[in-house]
């Protein structure tokens, strides 16, 4: 996430589009890492909960992620509308991820 913030800030301040290839490459690498981590998360969630409530707990965790993916574009557009910078959104995502990681 921190790497993504750096590339986003670099691309925002680049009116001549010199770093388009770097930004595109980093975006694709981050997407691949996100997909790999979701696959690992689905496997890990199946093992961490006790068998009696495993299906309900995994479904609850997946539903929370789906709700987050629904709200993310709305939050992004609101931040972009009010502050005119997309880097604030990525900073919010970074701090939210760090907070969630500390809770776990």
């Amino acid at each position: 996430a921190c790497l993504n913030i750096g590339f986003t800030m670099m691309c925002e301040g680049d009116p001549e589009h010199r770093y388009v290839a770097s930004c595109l490459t980093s975006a694709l690498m981050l997407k691949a890492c996100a997909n790999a981590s979701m696959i690992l998360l689905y496997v890990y969630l199946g093992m961490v909960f006790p068998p009696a409530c495993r299906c309900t707990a995994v479904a609850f965790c997946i539903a929370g992620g789906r709700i987050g993916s629904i709200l993310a574009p709305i939050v992004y557009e609101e931040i972009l509308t009010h502050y005119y910078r997309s880097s604030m959104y990525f900073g919010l995502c970074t701090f939210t991820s760090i907070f969630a990681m500390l809770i776990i």
Side-chain angles (χ1 to χ4, degrees):
C2 293
L3 180 66
N4 193 14
I5 290 173
F7 277 113
T8 302
M9 293 175 82
M10 182 174 65
C11 290
E12 277 186 355
D14 183 28
E16 289 102 28
H17 305 291
R18 293 176 295 190
Y19 303 112
V20 172
S22 298
C23 291
L24 183 61
T25 304
S26 69
L28 292 174
M29 288 184 342
L30 288 168
K31 180 70 175 174
C33 290
N35 286 336
S37 65
M38 286 305 296
I39 291 169
L40 291 173
L41 183 66
Y42 285 153
V43 171
Y44 176 71
L45 284 175
M47 292 187 299
V48 81
F49 293 114
C53 66
R54 184 172 293 164
C55 290
T56 305
V58 171
F60 183 75
C61 292
I62 291 172
R66 301 285 174 160
I67 291 170
S69 67
I70 291 169
L71 292 177
I74 298 168
V75 171
Y76 176 77
E77 290 296 327
E78 287 297 317
I79 288 176
L80 196 62
T81 301
H82 292 293
Y83 299 109
Y84 307 109
R85 292 187 62 100
S86 62
S87 59
M88 291 185 71
Y89 170 75
F90 293 111
L92 176 69
C93 289
T94 302
F95 290 124
T96 305
S97 299
I98 291 170
F99 179 71
M101 192 170 57
L102 291 175
I103 286 175
I104 292 175

